[in-house]
Amino acid sequence: MADTPSDESPEVDAISGPDVDRIEFYGGRWTSVLPIALFVLWAIVQSGLFRIGDTTGLVAGMLVSLIVGMFFVKGDWTDYANTIFDGMTKRVAATAVVAWLWAGMFANTLQAGGFVGGLVWAADAAAVGPALFPAVTFVLAALLATGIGTGYGTTVAFTALFFPAGILLGANPVLLFGSILSGAVFGDNLAPVSDTTIVSAVTQDADIGGVVASRFKYAIVAAVFAFAAYVVAGGAMPGLDISQQAQDLFIENSEPAGLVHLLSMLVVIVTAVMGRHIVEAVSWGLVVAVAFNLVFGLAPLSAVLLFRVPDTSVAAGAVAGLPVVEIVDPGNAGVTGSLYSGAAGFFPLIVLVLLIIAGSEIMIRGGGFAAIQDWLLENVATGVRSAETTMVVGTAFVNSMITINTAAEIAIAPYIARIGQKYNINGYRRANILDANTSALGYIFPWAGGVLVGFATMQGLPDQYEWFTEAMIVNPIQVWPFVFHGWLLFFVFLLSALTGFGLEYTTDRRSDEVSRV
Amino acid sequence: MSILDQFLAGATFRTTTPSFEAGEEIEVYVTDYDEADGDLYALVGETRLSFVDGSRDLVGCRVLARVESFDDDAHRGTVAHLETLDRGSF
């Protein structure tokens, strides 16, 4: 996922074992796929066909899909209803929500402090033109994601900060969004503190250090090709036609001072690498960012948080002098600032994701997952090469269906262990196949959490910059071919499975116990 | 294993039929029990190692075993069960 680092043991127990209530459907266990399948169809029609990128519209789609699914349940519908509750209260869902809220506040505060202006200044000074900008963005996003361990957080930060800078410099928006998502995939896959890395290691009985070291060879091959692809595509794909006047004005007014927020980012990376929880790491970054904004005069406190108190309020007179208060007409009352808008931007997405996790849980308890896996085991995984290919394709498929990739990974992990152990495939190798495809496919399709969170962030940009119009927002359905690192990682593993590159058996070397990490 | 070795481990094209030497001690997951000929076996890739002892309860377990004999051409061998290490995940 998206993934948030955690020093706790991941919820491997979230896998629905045989002891949980099963749901029976008319038409058999395949029918349990219906809510998710209907939603995917809705998402394709709404965002692909109609070109409406409204997240709340997708929420309506998921609600309708969950209701339709209920009519196919045999017997008492209570179990179905309760499964919706169980899915929505899963810890992985909460983990993603927390990562988005914190990353949103942090990125917006950096934005208020002129970080984008600083980036534009730096890119201009270093002569990084529009052609190179996506490739450079990919490398920097990959570094941040590897440092902080959250691909979703990286997507939020880079879409809020690098995306507008790149657009202004003339980079192609779709390609640029793809490069941000690619960086997030790289970090999700490789970061030792990423949730997906931890889940992959724990579920396949391997230690995290060994898992990270052994997956480096695949990640770096994919990354080198992805970088080259961004350089080539950056030269070939034109940017948007932004009014030259607005562009010149912004570049002229871009000051290096905002670059001080590189230190705010460094605080997050260092605290995360030191093993602190992501909530703690980002909170420290946020404190430092607010302090920098105030000390260096980059933004006033009111840009971070502002209560617009109506003049009719009894307290109006008493609080009028406070830096976080503005007295306004009753019609303009409200709360604003980077903390407010940074968090609020994710509210529809949070609801959507909780509902999608509920739909996935229905698919798990209804046996849809088991049906897919059984079919694969009986018909496809009949030798070691085909077993590995099944592991790659199966993981990719499940991750393309379930929005939060950590949730998808937890659901498929037992099957990967079972198929792999049948041929004594080493735990490191199993963990690598599981995590690479989990990371990659979580950032490609229009309904993937990574894509949606970037899209949600982008929708806040027209309010931030006068020159940024609605037309500059990338529709989620446009970006899938351009997440180069995601696709390359998938193909690297497909080739590895077919050729035996990187294959190790349990007899070749023993993976250390997880507890020793 | 040095750090460099950890990064380079497995960076080869591995065969589907690995070989073993008699007397070698290995850790394997027990793959299945063949009802027809009463054979308890572990597949390492597509190399088949049959247990000379041990019950069908071991299916799915990670065990320590000693290679008793190995035929490199047929990719088959026999192993003796030494110790059951754990039940295997899931």
Side-chain angles (χ1 to χ4, degrees):
Chain A
M1 134 171 127
D3 316 342
T4 320
S6 157
D7 41 19
E8 289 170 34
S9 200
E11 51 162 353
V12 178
D13 60 348
I15 299 153
S16 300
D19 51 329
V20 300
D21 295 334
R22 293 275 158 204
I23 312 171
E24 278 198 54
F25 284 86
Y26 290 108
R29 47 189 191 164
W30 284 101
T31 313
S32 65
V33 177
L34 190 66
I36 290 285
L38 269 181
F39 168 73
V40 169
L41 193 68
W42 180 301
I44 291 171
V45 170
Q46 185 197 305
S47 57
L49 208 61
F50 299 160
R51 300 261 154 179
I52 305 170
D54 180 1
T55 312
T56 312
L58 297 177
V59 170
M62 196 62 227
L63 286 168
V64 169
S65 305
L66 285 171
I67 293 169
V68 171
M70 189 164 66
F71 290 104
F72 290 85
V73 173
K74 272 187 191 170
D76 195 354
W77 289 358
T78 313
D79 287 344
Y80 183 92
N82 280 331
T83 304
I84 295 176
F85 283 74
D86 291 346
M88 291 180 83
T89 51
K90 272 187 180 293
R91 192 185 160 90
V92 274
T95 310
V97 168
V98 164
W100 296 342
L101 292 175
W102 259 256
M105 288 191 294
F106 180 61
N108 267 40
T109 304
L110 260 56
Q111 212 174 41
F115 188 54
V116 174
L119 289 175
V120 171
W121 180 88
D124 198 41
V128 177
L132 263 186
F133 201 89
V136 171
T137 302
F138 165 58
V139 173
L140 294 176
L143 287 176
L144 178 70
T146 308
I148 65 175
T150 152
Y152 284 171
T154 302
T155 305
V156 172
F158 270 68
T159 310
L161 307 169
F162 274 69
F163 186 76
I167 299 297
L168 201 65
L169 289 171
N172 181 280
V174 182
L175 190 67
L176 190 54
F177 189 31
S179 73
I180 292 170
L181 295 172
S182 283
V185 169
F186 184 91
D188 248 7
N189 179 219
L190 207 59
V193 289
S194 151
D195 254 12
T196 61
T197 304
I198 296 168
V199 170
S200 71
V202 171
T203 57
Q204 307 305 317
D205 302 313
D207 63 290
I208 292 165
V211 156
V212 170
S214 64
R215 74 181 43 160
F216 193 77
K217 55 182 173 287
Y218 309 106
I220 208 69
V221 168
V224 165
F225 283 102
F227 181 82
Y230 282 117
V231 172
V232 173
M237 293 168 69
L240 294 176
D241 199 14
I242 296 171
S243 131
Q244 192 63 39
Q245 201 184 350
Q247 200 171 339
D248 291 346
L249 197 68
F250 195 87
I251 294 174
E252 234 168 69
N253 292 328
S254 294
E255 290 175 9
L259 288 175
V260 73
H261 283 306
L262 284 173
L263 286 175
S264 312
M265 284 186 145
L266 199 64
V267 166
V268 178
I269 294 173
V270 169
T271 41
V273 170
M274 279 166 60
R276 299 306 182 121
H277 194 283
I278 191 65
V279 167
E280 195 183 333
V282 180
S283 296
W284 277 119
L286 190 58
V287 169
V288 171
V290 172
F292 281 166
N293 281 353
L294 299 179
V295 171
F296 296 106
L298 298 170
L301 199 55
S302 59
V304 177
L305 186 66
L306 181 66
F307 294 93
R308 298 163 71 91
V309 180
D311 52 15
T312 50
S313 160
V314 286
V319 297
L322 295 176
V324 291
V325 168
E326 185 185 5
I327 306 300
V328 296
D329 295 333
N332 292 325
V335 182
T336 61
S338 62
L339 299 184
Y340 174 91
S341 53
F346 296 108
F347 291 171
L349 181 63
I350 287 169
V351 177
L352 174 64
V353 163
L354 293 179
L355 290 171
I356 295 176
I357 301 274
S360 314
E361 189 63 13
I362 285 165
M363 184 160 124
I364 292 167
R365 293 203 191 166
F369 254 120
I372 295 167
Q373 290 295 328
D374 289 349
W375 183 83
L376 289 174
L377 260 177
E378 281 162 26
N379 299 291
V380 191
T382 50
V384 68
R385 296 275 192 259
S386 61
E388 286 212 313
T389 309
T390 306
M391 286 155 70
V392 171
V393 177
T395 309
F397 175 73
V398 169
N399 273 282
S400 66
M401 293 286 287
I402 297 182
T403 294
I404 297 286
N405 56 0
T406 312
E409 187 178 36
I410 289 175
I412 188 115
Y415 299 102
I416 296 301
R418 216 174 291 156
I419 298 171
Q421 286 169 4
K422 186 177 166 191
Y423 293 97
N424 275 291
I425 295 167
N426 196 291
Y428 292 132
R429 171 75 160 183
R430 284 185 270 127
N432 290 339
I433 289 178
L434 177 61
D435 194 43
N437 296 289
T438 293
S439 303
L441 274 294
Y443 292 88
I444 291 180
F445 294 110
W447 51 86
V451 178
L452 287 173
V453 81
F455 177 65
T457 309
M458 229 177 265
Q459 284 174 311
L461 293 175
D463 294 336
Q464 304 281 339
Y465 305 101
E466 267 178 35
W467 54 268
F468 198 102
T469 61
E470 294 284 340
M472 295 177 189
I473 295 174
V474 179
N475 189 309
I477 205 142
Q478 292 173 286
V479 78
W480 66 268
F482 302 101
V483 189
F484 296 148
H485 185 68
W487 284 115
L488 283 161
L489 201 56
F490 170 70
F491 285 117
V492 162
F493 269 89
L494 200 57
L495 270 178
S496 300
L498 291 170
T499 60
F501 175 76
L503 170 61
E504 290 181 90
Y505 296 110
T506 49
T507 51
D508 292 344
R509 64 170 169 148
R510 195 179 180 291
S511 40
D512 290 333
E513 296 301 324
V514 177
S515 56
R516 283 180 51 200
V517 176
Chain B
M1 189 176 242
S2 77
I3 290 178
L4 184 68
D5 288 341
Q6 285 205 27
F7 277 89
L8 295 178
T12 54
F13 293 89
R14 193 77 163 94
T15 174
T16 55
T17 48
S19 299
F20 297 92
E21 305 259 332
E24 199 178 332
E25 285 192 8
I26 55 172
E27 280 180 24
V28 285
Y29 289 96
V30 180
T31 303
D32 209 353
Y33 178 78
D34 192 335
E35 296 281 352
D37 48 13
D39 184 24
L40 181 74
Y41 65 95
L43 289 174
V44 182
E46 279 147 36
T47 293
R48 183 165 168 148
L49 302 172
S50 299
F51 284 82
V52 293
D53 51 1
S55 73
R56 60 191 306 168
D57 296 344
L58 288 174
V59 172
C61 291
R62 189 165 63 94
V63 302
L64 186 64
R66 187 180 53 243
V67 179
E68 299 286 302
S69 66
F70 192 76
D71 178 348
D72 225 351
D73 298 323
H75 313 299
R76 278 173 172 259
T78 54
V79 290
H81 171 243
L82 300 179
E83 189 187 343
T84 303
L85 299 168
D86 57 50
R87 282 220 60 86
S89 28
F90 314 110

